[in-house]
């Protein structure tokens, strides 16, 4: 249960796990489904939904005293909609609860391929995977041999962007918040180099060390001080894909960025994107990703917390970097 609008850093106590009885009946005359939730996805944008929506915002706020909602994988138990039947597996927006009645079916996608773990549809084959794909290929216009930097590089999106860039023949460096994550980037995901940004007192100097010739492409996941340092190190005509700004999500007053003049001096192309605008390319993306996974061309690391009661800690952990890889909450195995 989302208790009430949050200000400042999200805490576990902003949510509550309760036991109760759910009415699993579809409303009379509705076109809906009843599902058993299997996996829930912890995604950084969920913090944005915990603030009362005002100003430019693409998210609707959660309703206080109601269950959170978010991306998940679920099994259909009952359906009054012609496109879904009992036994179907789906991914899309569901409730943070063991069972849900879903009447908003837009954006729900039926899972056809089950030779990969179902949890993958919360990540590599779901919303974060598509974000990595469009944010890199569509926004960055990458070319072989270019220098690519990725922040929050070991997370759900970052680990995939780095591997796409390596497949493209780029030189790839990532930043992450622990030695364990830095090792993962270099050893498992094949990044050319990686560093722990928490150990760097001067991010500008660190980037100059890793990119003496400058950065062609920056895949932005964090914002704040990192963005400022990156702007100083971009090459002329560089591209910045603004996927997320997680360092800002828990701040009541977002930090200012100092070095925006670099956008002009260096003719940098900086573009934000919203993954849901690209759902039309999901079938093509799914084909590509499934073959990458089956051929072992892409590695993928998940961090799976067990049980709905572990959900609040798992979600809060995103904002301190507790997760190693894509954070998922396992509710039930079918
Ligand atoms: P991750 O799996 O990467 O988890 C979040 C990670 O962010 C943490 O593990 C932590 O890693 C890092 N982090 C947390 N707080 C800070 C901070 N203050 N400063 C720097 N790093 C921090 O998340 P995702 O891969 O799911 O998401 C990555 C980004 O992409 C987010 O900003 C998210 O909002 C955005 N996004 C945007 C979409 C779009 O449509 N534009 C769609 C999906 C995601 P570490 O230990 O390395 O610090």
């Amino acid at each position: 249960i989302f208790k009430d609008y949050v200000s400042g850093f999200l805490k576990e106590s902003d949510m509550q796990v309760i036991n109760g009885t759910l009415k699993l009946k579809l409303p009379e005359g509705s076109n809906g489904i009843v599902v058993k939730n299997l996996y829930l996805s912890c995604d950084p944008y969920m913090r944005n939904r915990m603030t009362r929506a005002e100003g430019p915002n693409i998210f609707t706020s959660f309703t206080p005293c109601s269950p959170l909602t978010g991306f998940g994988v679920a099994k259909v138990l009952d359906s009054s909609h012609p496109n879904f039947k009992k036994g179907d597996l789906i991914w899309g927006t569901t409730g943070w609860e063991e069972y849900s009645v879903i009447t908003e079916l837009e954006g729900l996608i039926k899972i056809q391929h089950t030779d990969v773990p179902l949890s993958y549809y919360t990540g590599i084959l779901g919303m974060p995977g598509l974000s990595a794909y469009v944010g890199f290929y569509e926004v960055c216009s990458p070319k072989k041999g270019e220098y690519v930097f990725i922040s929050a590089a070991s997370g759900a999106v970052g680990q995939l962007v780095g591997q796409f860039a390596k497949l493209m023949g780029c030189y790839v460096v990532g930043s992450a918040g622990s030695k364990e994550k830095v090792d993962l980037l270099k050893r498992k995901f094949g990044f050319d180099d990686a560093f722990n940004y928490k150990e760097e007192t001067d991010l500008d100097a660190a980037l100059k060390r890793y990119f003496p010739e400058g950065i062609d492409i920056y895949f932005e996941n964090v914002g704040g001080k990192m963005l400022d340092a990156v702007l100083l190190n971009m090459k002329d005509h560089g591209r910045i894909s603004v996927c997320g700004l997680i360092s800002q999500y828990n701040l009541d007053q977002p930090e200012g960025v100092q070095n925006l003049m670099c956008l002009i001096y260096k003719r940098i192309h900086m573009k934000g994107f919203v993954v849901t605008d690209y759902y039309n390319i999901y079938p093509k993306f799914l084909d590509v990703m499934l073959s990458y996974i089956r051929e072992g061309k892409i590695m993928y690391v998940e961090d799976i917390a067990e049980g709905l009661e572990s959900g609040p800690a798992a979600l809060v952990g995103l904002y301190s970097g507790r997760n190693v890889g894509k954070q998922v909450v396992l509710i039930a195995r079918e």
Side-chain angles (χ1 to χ4, degrees), residues 9 42-45 48 58-59 127-128 131-132 134 151-159 175-178 181 197-198 219-223 226 242-250 272-276 317-327:
F9 214 90
C42 294
D43 289 297
Y45 80 92
N48 303 57
I58 53 167
F59 305 115
M127 183 280 284
S131 306
V134 299
S151 53
S154 70
V157 176
Q159 59 175 285
S175 64
S178 70
K181 292 182 181 186
Y197 70 96
K198 290 181 179 165
F219 196 95
E220 168 67 296
N221 284 319
V222 308
M226 185 61 91
V242 186
C243 179
L245 303 173
I246 194 170
S247 72
Q248 307 299 297
Y249 298 172
N250 286 286
F273 68 93
V274 178
V275 62
T276 47
L318 288 182
Y319 309 100
S320 61
R322 200 183 83 160
N323 60 309
V324 180
K326 166 67 198 165
Q327 184 66 63

Side-chain angles (χ1 to χ4, degrees), residues 139-197:
V139 178
C140 297
S141 314
K143 290 189 279 299
K144 189 175 174 194
E146 287 193 313
Y147 290 83
V148 177
F149 177 54
I150 303 154
S151 53
S154 70
V157 176
Q159 59 175 285
L160 300 176
V161 175
Q163 293 179 82
F164 293 154
K166 281 310 300 172
L167 288 170
M168 169 76 57
C170 298
Y171 181 82
V172 184
V173 178
S175 64
S178 70
K179 181 178 181 311
E180 181 188 7
K181 292 182 181 186
V182 167
D183 287 347
L184 204 58
L185 292 176
K186 292 201 276 196
R187 305 229 165 92
K188 180 130 189 148
F189 301 135
F191 283 50
D192 294 290
D193 222 327
F195 64 92
N196 180 351
Y197 70 96

